[in-house]
Amino acid sequence: MLQRGMRQIAARASQADPVISLIRCCSSGASDPSSCNPDFTSLPKALVPGHQALWNPRTNKGSAFSLRERQALGIHGLVPPVVSTPELQEQKVLRNIRGQASDLDRYVQLMDLVERNEKLFYRVICNNLEEMMPLIYTPTVGLACQKYSFIYRKPQGLFITIHDLGHISDIIAAWPQDDVKAIVVTDGERILGLGDQGCAGMGIPVGKLALYTAIGGVKPWQCLPIVLDVGTDNEKLLNDPLYIGLRQKRDRSEKYDQLIDEFMKAVVSRYSYNCLIQFEDFANNNAFRLLEKYRHEYCTFNDDIQGTASVAVAGVLASLRITGTKLKDNTFVFQGAGEASLGIANLIVAAMVEEGLSIEEARKRMWMVDSRGLIVKNRASGGITEHKAHFAHDHEHIADIGQIVKALKPTALIGAAAIAGVFTEEILRDMASFNAKPIIFALSNPTSKAECTAEQAYKYTDYRAVFASGSPFDPVTTPGGKTLIPGQGNNAYVFPGIGLGVTLFGVRHVSYNMFLEASKACAELVTDKDLAEGRVYPPLKDVREVSIKIAIRTAEYAYEKNLTSLYPKPPDMEAFIRRHMYHYDYLNYEPEFYDWPSQ
């Protein structure tokens, strides 16, 4: 209640101050803040109106403020005399970033930039996606989470702890933005392939939502990163005096479910049922359980299950144009039986059913390998959960992945268990011995956890492999001089586009079929030239266009199933989407653009 009262007082204060009203209008994302019509005639002569425009990262232009803007805003002399162009600012930022000693230093530079000049940050990201994505997302974001307690500077989202039960609505009320449409939330238990990072997992929601804006065009003020801190079982963090999270073991009692339930209700209470809630990096058991619990009641999805599945299936669908086969003719072996592998397998099954197979026939083409070996019926070592049981077949139990590949002779080998180097030279050579063009997907993140490198996959299959990875790898040159460009199965191909479609059209529920539609849309954008280069995904520089196509497919499906709240349906979906996407161009604050006071 106290937080709500403070916000009401602040709101009344801003109404009385036309400058605050303007800055708030700019901060809220109005494309034409002059439409806010602030009454500047009541300004006292001594008031310097533009200081907040300079200090607010959403409105700050730094050295790009023109001379007339500086004079009108009362900030002349507060920035260097040279007036820079946005393009020059971008080059300066790039020079600073490229001059850093490590990727973590580059990450910190970028986080500093977004905290002082938001539009310049997104200009740099959008115009240099292939260079910047590995810095703000995988693999660097994993290292950033491991070092988060050291590099934390200022709040970029909300920290809600298990001790906040009963008061979560007040914490969410403290967030200054009223128009939040997309939330990414984690409890930090399974960060990439790094395991439990506790409160330091905040780097993941921050990075994901940066991509929502840079790639999906979702407005940054409509995005909210959240960590649910229930403790950590990471002894290194618990013994670290600088760790910024709760110093206790993970609470696995009924309070955990109470926390999640209260959090979900608090979100929709403030932001409505159309607010998208993306679950990120929860441990397997909680990930599946919470998705099943909430997906029919809220607008929610789990990116590790559904997003990873969608981008992997997109790569598989594109691969079929190289192998010359139909999806239903393939046999898949998954190294790992966690949320990523199970999500991929289930989505492939759905695609095979569209090709005419029954669910049972499709599942028989999926084989899972967990820490105990091949998942088969009546396995003596047990460990077969309900989700794994769908893919437990009649077969002798084999513990070793190499022997499993020899026995099953799969056409596709997919790794998603974060076991570095598990796709050995022998396994890769075996795959090449019974496949003209074996499909090898080493999807684990970060790079240090990859099942094999691109060079290994190509070299040990006589450069015949159709390869994709979760983290980026450099191009590989064949002995004949041909350059192969590894495809990166990056979730960023999918979730920003789905997020854009869901938030823009007010989609009430996110269905599994939306992710299959996204897979098809992404695969269709892979050109013959891309395939000839070894790519099974469009170039990363084109990923914003991929997001637009996925947003269209998401919206079309939602209208078909009556899941939207935006009516009437726009006649030109693509034009509507482009018109409402965030852009990094600076706003104009010059006097003729606004009704500034004459004194």
Side-chain angles (χ1 to χ4, degrees):
M1 295 300 293
L2 176 61
Q3 294 282 3
R4 289 177 179 169
M6 293 295 290
R7 291 181 67 249
Q8 291 170 357
I9 292 171
R12 287 196 293 270
S14 70
Q15 292 167 3
D17 188 333
V19 173
I20 304 297
S21 298
L22 172 66
I23 303 305
R24 279 180 175 261
C25 186
C26 295
S27 299
S28 70
S31 58
D32 179 6
S34 63
S35 63
C36 299
N37 195 28
D39 180 14
F40 290 106
T41 59
S42 62
L43 282 173
K45 290 183 179 180
L47 183 64
V48 181
H51 278 211
Q52 294 202 38
L54 183 62
W55 303 118
N56 187 330
R58 192 147 292 156
T59 55
N60 179 30
K61 298 164 68 170
S63 61
F65 281 112
S66 71
L67 180 58
R68 300 191 70 187
E69 286 176 324
R70 298 176 192 202
Q71 292 170 339
L73 292 166
I75 60 173
H76 185 59
L78 297 183
V79 290
V82 170
V83 177
S84 299
T85 64
E87 293 77 15
L88 189 61
Q89 287 183 312
E90 178 184 343
Q91 290 305 310
K92 185 183 295 185
V93 170
L94 289 172
R95 180 179 293 185
N96 285 335
I97 290 172
R98 291 165 181 167
Q100 298 303 307
S102 70
D103 283 347
L104 182 61
D105 291 333
R106 295 180 183 96
Y107 174 90
V108 171
Q109 283 270 318
L110 286 166
M111 292 303 103
D112 283 344
L113 176 60
V114 75
E115 290 170 1
R116 68 176 185 273
N117 189 329
E118 187 175 81
K119 283 187 175 289
L120 181 56
F121 170 81
Y122 283 110
R123 171 180 287 274
V124 171
I125 301 302
C126 291
N127 290 343
N128 305 273
L129 267 173
E130 290 183 289
E131 181 180 358
M132 294 297 128
M133 271 190 58
L135 300 178
I136 62 170
Y137 190 42
T138 180
T140 308
V141 71
L143 180 58
C145 288
Q146 291 177 306
K147 303 291 185 181
Y148 200 79
S149 295
F150 301 93
I151 64 176
Y152 172 79
R153 280 161 168 73
K154 62 183 294 186
Q156 293 179 300
L158 290 177
F159 296 86
I160 300 173
T161 78
I162 194 73
H163 303 311
D164 295 320
L165 273 169
H167 306 283
I168 295 177
S169 289
D170 290 330
I171 295 174
I172 291 179
W175 189 249
Q177 295 295 336
D178 293 319
D179 189 30
V180 170
K181 294 186 180 296
I183 288 172
V184 175
V185 60
T186 186
D187 70 353
E189 188 171 4
R190 195 203 61 82
I191 299 298
L192 302 176
L194 302 171
D196 191 343
Q197 299 299 316
C199 183
M202 175 58 95
I204 295 296
V206 169
K208 290 279 186 176
L209 288 171
L211 296 184
Y212 260 73
T213 299
I215 294 175
V218 179
K219 299 172 180 66
W221 52 88
Q222 295 179 335
C223 299
L224 173 55
I226 295 179
V227 160
L228 302 177
D229 188 354
V230 299
T232 178
D233 292 335
N234 187 327
E235 290 293 338
K236 184 177 179 180
L237 294 178
L238 292 174
N239 295 325
D240 185 350
L242 299 180
Y243 175 55
I244 60 174
L246 289 183
R247 209 171 300 278
Q248 65 177 53
K249 289 286 189 179
R250 280 191 171 271
D251 192 323
R252 302 185 186 278
S253 69
E254 65 277 3
K255 286 185 178 181
Y256 180 90
D257 279 9
Q258 292 171 13
L259 178 76
I260 303 293
D261 207 45
E262 184 180 339
F263 163 73
M264 299 294 283
K265 291 175 181 176
V267 167
V268 300
S269 176
R270 183 173 183 194
Y271 297 124
S272 88
Y273 275 92
N274 286 341
C275 181
L276 175 62
I277 304 172
Q278 175 178 322
F279 282 79
E280 193 71 39
D281 287 356
F282 284 70
N284 287 354
N285 180 53
N286 286 330
F288 284 108
R289 186 173 61 85
L290 296 176
L291 176 62
E292 190 60 33
K293 180 178 181 180
Y294 293 118
R295 68 188 183 94
H296 295 298
E297 186 177 355
Y298 295 89
C299 181
T300 186
F301 72 92
N302 185 297
D303 189 48
D304 303 300
I305 299 173
Q306 296 159 291
T308 300
S310 185
V311 74
V313 172
V316 169
L317 294 176
S319 299
L320 301 179
R321 291 160 58 189
I322 299 176
T323 62
T325 61
K326 293 183 178 180
L327 185 62
K328 64 183 180 180
D329 297 329
N330 286 269
T331 300
F332 294 81
V333 166
F334 293 85
Q335 168 56 37
E339 53 202 272
S341 292
L342 290 169
I344 297 168
N346 280 315
L347 200 60
I348 292 176
V349 166
M352 285 183 172
V353 168
E354 285 193 356
E355 287 191 348
L357 294 184
S358 68
I359 292 179
E360 293 73 20
E361 289 172 330
R363 284 175 175 169
K364 288 179 181 178
R365 289 160 171 76
M366 307 290 128
W367 295 84
M368 295 283 170
V369 181
D370 63 9
S371 59
R372 294 177 172 87
L374 186 64
I375 295 177
V376 295
K377 291 182 178 179
N378 304 315
R379 188 172 68 176
S381 59
I384 302 177
T385 65
E386 177 185 354
H387 300 287
K388 296 179 184 180
H390 294 305
F391 304 101
H393 309 308
D394 289 315
H395 197 281
E396 64 173 324
H397 176 250
I398 307 174
D400 178 67
I401 178 65
Q403 295 304 312
I404 292 169
V405 168
K406 290 179 187 294
L408 298 178
K409 295 181 172 54
T411 57
L413 185 59
I414 297 179
I419 302 176
V422 70
F423 293 171
T424 63
E425 177 181 348
E426 182 181 3
I427 288 174
L428 294 170
R429 291 193 183 281
D430 283 341
M431 287 292 294
S433 70
F434 38 74
N435 290 294
K437 295 179 179 178
I439 297 173
I440 309 291
F441 281 14
L443 300 179
S444 292
N445 285 313
T447 309
S448 61
K449 300 290 184 179
E451 288 76 13
C452 67
T453 66
E455 184 175 12
Q456 290 167 341
Y458 289 131
K459 179 180 179 181
Y460 299 139
T461 61
D462 299 323
Y463 300 93
R464 291 185 279 115
V466 182
F467 178 78
S469 58
S471 289
F473 282 103
D474 292 332
V476 175
T477 302
T478 71
K482 180 179 180 180
T483 299
L484 298 173
I485 303 175
Q488 185 188 354
N490 196 317
N491 288 25
Y493 279 109
V494 170
F495 71 81
I498 288 180
L500 176 62
V502 168
T503 58
L504 201 52
F505 295 92
V507 175
R508 294 189 295 273
H509 297 291
V510 184
S511 73
Y512 269 96
N513 283 343
M514 287 181 184
F515 289 94
L516 184 53
E517 291 301 310
S519 300
K520 295 175 184 176
C522 183
E524 289 167 4
L525 292 172
V526 181
T527 67
D528 291 340
K529 180 177 180 292
D530 294 332
L531 295 173
E533 294 174 341
R535 301 179 190 265
V536 291
Y537 297 100
L540 273 177
K541 64 181 178 61
D542 300 329
V543 70
R544 196 171 170 95
E545 292 301 311
V546 175
S547 291
I548 292 171
K549 300 303 181 186
I550 287 176
I552 293 171
R553 292 283 274 267
T554 299
E556 293 284 6
Y557 180 86
Y559 276 110
E560 180 185 331
K561 301 298 180 181
N562 195 30
L563 294 174
T564 63
S565 55
L566 178 70
Y567 288 96
K569 176 183 176 181
D572 187 335
M573 300 283 277
E574 182 171 340
F576 178 84
I577 289 171
R578 290 185 184 276
R579 188 167 64 249
H580 286 84
M581 291 174 71
Y582 172 80
H583 203 277
Y584 52 71
D585 287 339
Y586 285 136
L587 298 175
N588 189 339
Y589 303 117
E590 293 197 5
E592 62 267 26
F593 192 65
Y594 296 111
D595 185 20
W596 294 97
S598 58
Q599 60 267 50

